[in-house]
Amino acid sequence: MGKLLRGAHIVWDWNGTLLHDIHAVIEATNASFAELGLEAITLERYRDLYCVPIPRFYERLMGRLPTDAEWRVMDTVFHKHYWARAEGCGLAEGASELLAARRADGRTQSLLSLAPHEQLVPIVRRHGIHEYFVRIDGRTDESHAGKAERMVRHLEAFDEPLDVGRVVVIGDAVDDAVAAAHVGARAVLYTGGSHSRASLELAGVPVVDSLADAVDVAERLVA
């Protein structure tokens, strides 16, 4: 990856980062728990325990890994309830303006999400921000592994090579920092989504409370 970029190339996460959907996630998670007679989870407990892959998160909650049958039920119910609520979720504060300003300033940015690709692209379009990204990639398989290998494929798919030293991943999960490190990029983590600040700080990368701060830090990291 050798071509110099102007400023940082930001790889944005979607759920919990650009899309403010944490309450839809909690409601869908509790709907899936109810199917198995499990106790509802609070936002605070979710943020303290959340991790990828998702079955490992459920193990933290249940004290054991879900069986294959339980996992299928929980996964199906979660997605049914989540996507029914996702349409009502707005973007994080200032997200559209930040994306537009970076695009106008000649900065590049892309979107990599674990959300299914066929559902990700339409919802990004409905929010009117798809044109701000040079590439949008969602999950195209049934794997619930994290982003590390997907990040490799995402960056390799660009028409022109990126200087990985100028790539910064902005997300709301420790897995985003893991994926960034996997390809030699930097990361900034945002507290508005799936993790508590204390959980995010364990990743050893900058942690911020707004997307505007995330962009500022990203630019300073590559300056």
Side-chain angles (χ1 to χ4, degrees):
M1 296 183 180
K3 182 162 182 172
L4 188 66
L5 293 172
R6 182 167 179 261
H9 172 88
I10 293 178
V11 180
W12 291 96
D13 173 58
W14 178 243
N15 301 102
T17 303
L18 291 175
L19 185 69
H20 185 61
D21 65 348
I22 186 62
H23 295 291
V25 168
I26 296 297
E27 290 171 11
T29 298
N30 282 332
S32 70
F33 284 3
E35 288 290 319
L36 299 181
L38 299 174
E39 184 179 346
I41 187 173
T42 64
L43 173 60
E44 291 72 24
R45 182 164 169 76
Y46 183 99
R47 282 176 161 163
D48 283 341
L49 297 180
Y50 180 78
C51 65
V52 173
I54 299 300
R56 169 67 176 143
F57 169 52
Y58 286 155
E59 181 182 22
R60 289 181 172 187
L61 293 170
M62 300 168 64
R64 60 175 175 81
L65 279 170
T67 66
D68 288 346
E70 288 172 332
W71 166 251
R72 285 193 296 272
V73 169
M74 295 169 83
D75 192 46
T76 298
V77 173
F78 173 87
H79 282 97
K80 173 187 173 184
H81 285 269
Y82 172 78
W83 288 106
R85 292 165 170 77
E87 294 299 325
C89 295
L91 297 178
E93 182 178 357
S96 182
E97 294 81 2
L98 279 171
L99 295 170
R102 284 184 53 78
R103 167 76 178 274
D105 197 34
R107 312 286 182 171
T108 59
Q109 51 206 345
S110 56
L111 178 59
L112 177 63
S113 175
L114 295 178
H117 187 78
E118 69 275 10
Q119 291 166 298
L120 173 67
V121 173
I123 196 170
V124 173
R125 285 185 175 276
R126 284 195 290 276
H127 282 284
I129 59 173
H130 61 284
E131 63 183 355
Y132 302 140
F133 303 107
V134 295
R135 184 171 185 86
I136 298 174
D137 286 316
R139 178 167 55 86
T140 57
D141 56 35
E142 295 305 312
S143 171
H144 288 272
K147 278 186 178 173
E149 291 305 320
R150 301 177 200 276
M151 187 67 70
V152 174
R153 296 193 294 272
H154 179 71
L155 297 182
E156 288 178 344
F158 283 81
D159 293 334
E160 297 183 11
L162 296 175
D163 174 2
V164 73
R166 289 186 171 273
V167 174
V168 182
V169 177
I170 296 179
D172 69 314
V174 171
D175 185 56
D176 293 300
V178 171
H182 185 69
V183 297
R186 295 174 173 86
V188 180
L189 299 180
Y190 163 62
T191 60
S194 60
H195 280 294
S196 65
R197 171 176 278 276
S199 297
L200 293 177
E201 288 175 343
L202 295 175
V205 302
V207 177
V208 299
D209 297 319
S210 74
L211 296 187
D213 286 346
V215 170
D216 288 344
V217 171
E219 292 295 347
R220 291 203 299 271
L221 287 174
V222 304

